[in-house]
Amino acid sequence: MTDTSPNRTTGSLGGAAPGPAAPSAGKAWTRPGAGRNRPAGAPRRPPLGATGRRRSTGRNLMAPAAALAGVAAAVGYVGAVDPHQPGHYPVCPLFRWTGVLCPGCGGLRSVHSLAHGDLTAALGANAPVVAGCAAFLCVWALWVGRAARGRPMSLPLRPVHAWLLAALLAVFTVVRNLPFGSVLAP
């Protein structure tokens, strides 16, 4: 004898299987505990602020806007003060004392060229900085999109990602200091 109560569904072999009943007319079925009494298809509410009220979209976008303003101010300064002219910025201590180019050498020249729209010169000064700027813009756009929907920003990065980035920068540093890698030197 099988149970035909509304709290059970029919399993694949015709027997009774535990679980919620099929949706009845007018009610959408949701997984138990999925929406915490939220109808299926209803938008999620933005996270609660410190006062217990829902935060507005404008308030959610304040952190990404502040981050962009800080980066834009730094890029604006580097764009206005030419790092190709000596005396404006300090010299890299590793290069000054050892003559070895570090992975950051040429980074200010690269940002200056990007600020002036010269991608070729930026790549010639320091290609990883150009890649880092592109990665920043992608992550920032993701951050804005999630903040506008009231969702927290999270990047599922693992230690292997940091090791991979460190290895790539180490290879870049070694190659740019070898005679055949002089094209990577600023």
Side-chain angles (χ1 to χ4, degrees):
M1 177 168 183
T2 60
D3 184 9
T4 58
S5 67
N7 291 335
R8 303 187 68 77
T9 58
T10 305
S12 61
L13 298 176
S24 60
K27 282 180 82 176
W29 181 82
T30 59
R31 193 178 76 228
R36 302 200 187 244
N37 301 326
R38 182 172 52 101
R44 293 183 183 215
R45 293 183 178 167
L48 290 175
T51 61
R53 297 182 184 159
R54 301 283 174 202
R55 294 189 331 193
S56 67
T57 302
R59 188 169 175 97
N60 288 340
L61 293 174
M62 286 177 66
L68 183 65
V71 170
V75 170
Y77 179 78
V78 173
V81 180
D82 190 3
H84 294 95
Q85 303 297 323
H88 293 294
Y89 298 101
V91 177
C92 172
L94 182 67
F95 181 71
R96 182 179 202 169
W97 293 326
T98 65
V100 174
L101 295 168
C102 75
C105 283
L108 289 174
R109 290 180 218 146
S110 181
V111 171
H112 178 79
S113 297
L114 281 176
H116 289 276
D118 191 357
L119 183 61
T120 306
L123 286 169
N126 194 323
V129 168
V130 176
C133 290
F136 168 77
L137 289 176
C138 291
V139 170
W140 183 83
L142 177 68
W143 188 14
V144 168
R146 293 188 65 81
R149 290 189 305 259
R151 295 182 179 171
M153 178 61 188
S154 65
L155 289 174
L157 297 177
R158 296 186 205 132
V160 69
H161 296 113
W163 284 104
L164 181 63
L165 179 63
L168 288 172
L169 288 176
V171 169
F172 173 75
T173 302
V174 170
V175 170
R176 79 186 311 198
N177 284 292
L178 294 175
F180 65 87
S182 62
V183 71
L184 297 174

